[in-house]
Amino acid sequence: MSPVDPDRPRRGTSRPAEERRSPARRKAAPSRAKSVDAGSAMAAAIEQLAKLLGRNPESVSSLKPVDTGWEAQVEVVELERIPDTTSVLASYRVSLDEAGALISFERTRRYSRGMIDRPF
């Protein structure tokens, strides 16, 4: 062990009590104001897209939180045919803000119901 240097101040005694800093505190994570849960976001995406397109969505294939709110992939029947496997569906990317209001939507894919996804 090394000898203690009497001229060197010890930890915590280098400053007078009034100059000492309070211990660092961790800032709380910013909370989303009026944010909706996943179920409410999914219902909002379906309802608002149906109003804009005039067609009822078939399903929601994905839903994920993003910095600005929520992003969903919604499947919509665009053209019904007989047999049903030949109906034309479209996949829409729907962006919602933190309150669940629709910000934007975009058709990302169009396909027949009987089509199988294949790896690239």
Side-chain angles (χ1 to χ4, degrees):
M1 294 186 110
S2 63
V4 178
D5 183 7
D7 294 331
R8 185 174 175 191
R10 292 183 174 221
R11 215 183 269 195
T13 60
S14 61
R15 296 183 193 169
E18 59 273 356
E19 289 182 20
R20 287 188 196 144
R21 294 184 199 166
S22 61
R25 294 184 187 201
R26 189 174 190 182
K27 291 183 180 178
S31 62
R32 293 181 174 183
K34 300 180 184 177
S35 63
V36 296
D37 63 351
S40 299
M42 190 167 27
I46 289 171
E47 179 185 331
Q48 293 176 63
L49 190 61
K51 285 181 184 176
L52 290 170
L53 297 178
R55 299 182 194 98
N56 289 326
E58 183 89 358
S59 66
V60 175
S61 56
S62 75
L63 178 70
K64 63 181 178 182
V66 292
D67 292 337
T68 57
W70 294 92
E71 187 173 285
Q73 284 290 105
V74 181
E75 311 302 317
V76 178
V77 176
E78 291 204 330
L79 181 61
E80 286 194 49
R81 291 185 175 162
I82 299 175
D84 194 41
T85 55
T86 61
S87 293
V88 177
L89 283 88
S91 184
Y92 286 86
R93 180 182 311 129
V94 179
S95 297
L96 304 170
D97 66 9
E98 292 175 346
L102 186 117
I103 297 171
S104 67
F105 73 97
E106 170 187 17
R107 184 171 63 195
T108 57
R109 182 173 170 233
R110 204 164 184 213
Y111 59 98
S112 64
R113 186 185 297 273
M115 192 170 83
I116 299 171
D117 284 338
R118 296 189 178 132
F120 295 104

